[in-house]
Amino acid sequence: MRDAITSLIRTYDITGRYLDRDAIDSLKSYFTSGTARVAAAAVINSNAASIVKQAGSAMFEEIPELLRPGGMGYTTRRYAACLRDMDYYLRYASYSMVAGSYDVLDERVLQGLRELYNSLGVPIGPTVVGIQIMKNIVKEQVAAAGIDASVVDGPFDHMTRELSETDI
Ligand SMILES: CCC1=C(C)/C(=C/C2=NC(=C\c3[nH]c(/C=C4\NC(=O)[C@H](C)[C@H]4CC)c(C)c3CCC(=O)O)/C(CCC(=O)O)=C2C)NC1=O
């Protein structure tokens, strides 16, 4: 599992290069956005339970078929499993935001997730809707705390992109 800095150093070390202009620019942007990324993570941390609950309700409201017999939100067990998954997505998104890297998401969350959901019969489309709703709730709260909310997009959009990608 790597953060922005360890990834960068690894890339340069492999070819034995000093940190060039590009490297310095990306380090600068990592440090410049650092305060906002950490502050946004703190907002997530203090509101995680309500963010997950709110995003889950909004997703089920938008896609009510999920709650009908045969749907993947039907029965309290499935409903709870879904919210638990949403909680994973939120928590790992906060790690990724702080790390300035998607590596933690790729390694801990996304690897094999599509295959798993397919084998369980959990639909990907609604999951992506849920992740995007959660992103918007987080952005609102982060902006309301006076923090630059643009730091929130990356991890949620990365999960969405990776989940949506279809195999040939
Ligand atoms: C940290 C990495 C990690 C992830 C991501 C993870 C996901 C994960 N979600 C699961 C199940 C599940 N996930 C859902 C999710 C949903 N139902 C819906 O209607 C929605 C579309 C969606 C929520 C957004 C459901 C319903 C199940 C239970 C499926 C079943 O057993 O019938 C399972 C099967 C085992 C279990 O039920 O606990 C795993 C492993 N586990 C992990 O360790």
Side-chain angles (χ1 to χ4, degrees), residues 59-60 66 71-73 77-79 81-86 88-89 91-92 108-109 113 116-117 120 122-123 126-127:
M59 178 195 66
F60 285 123
L66 292 170
M72 275 293 148
R77 184 186 66 79
R78 289 207 180 111
Y79 193 101
C82 180
L83 292 195
R84 190 238 15 234
D85 287 5
M86 298 273 279
Y88 287 146
Y89 302 142
R91 182 162 56 88
Y92 282 98
R108 299 289 162 90
V109 179
L113 182 60
L116 172 84
Y117 268 15
L120 290 169
V122 175
T127 303

Side-chain angles (χ1 to χ4, degrees), residues 1-2 102-111:
M1 188 165 66
R2 290 192 291 270
Y102 303 140
D103 199 54
V104 63
L105 291 174
D106 293 339
E107 194 176 299
R108 299 289 162 90
V109 179
L110 295 166
Q111 199 168 289

Side-chain angles (χ1 to χ4, degrees), residues 53-159:
K53 217 173 129 196
Q54 230 181 296
S57 307
M59 178 195 66
F60 285 123
E61 207 167 289
E62 196 169 317
I63 312 165
E65 304 84 77
L66 292 170
L67 295 176
R68 300 204 185 110
M72 275 293 148
Y74 182 68
T75 75
T76 46
R77 184 186 66 79
R78 289 207 180 111
Y79 193 101
C82 180
L83 292 195
R84 190 238 15 234
D85 287 5
M86 298 273 279
D87 187 59
Y88 287 146
Y89 302 142
L90 182 61
R91 182 162 56 88
Y92 282 98
S94 79
Y95 296 163
S96 166
M97 207 168 57
V98 168
S101 162
Y102 303 140
D103 199 54
V104 63
L105 291 174
D106 293 339
E107 194 176 299
R108 299 289 162 90
V109 179
L110 295 166
Q111 199 168 289
L113 182 60
R114 245 176 331 130
E115 294 74 12
L116 172 84
Y117 268 15
N118 287 336
S119 74
L120 290 169
V122 175
I124 305 276
T127 303
V128 164
V129 169
I131 290 172
Q132 287 296 314
I133 290 173
M134 197 150 64
K135 175 183 85 173
N136 291 328
I137 294 173
V138 171
K139 287 189 76 165
E140 270 168 34
Q141 299 197 358
V142 165
I147 302 155
D148 173 10
S150 70
V151 297
V152 172
D153 291 303
F156 292 94
D157 291 344
H158 181 73
M159 284 190 282

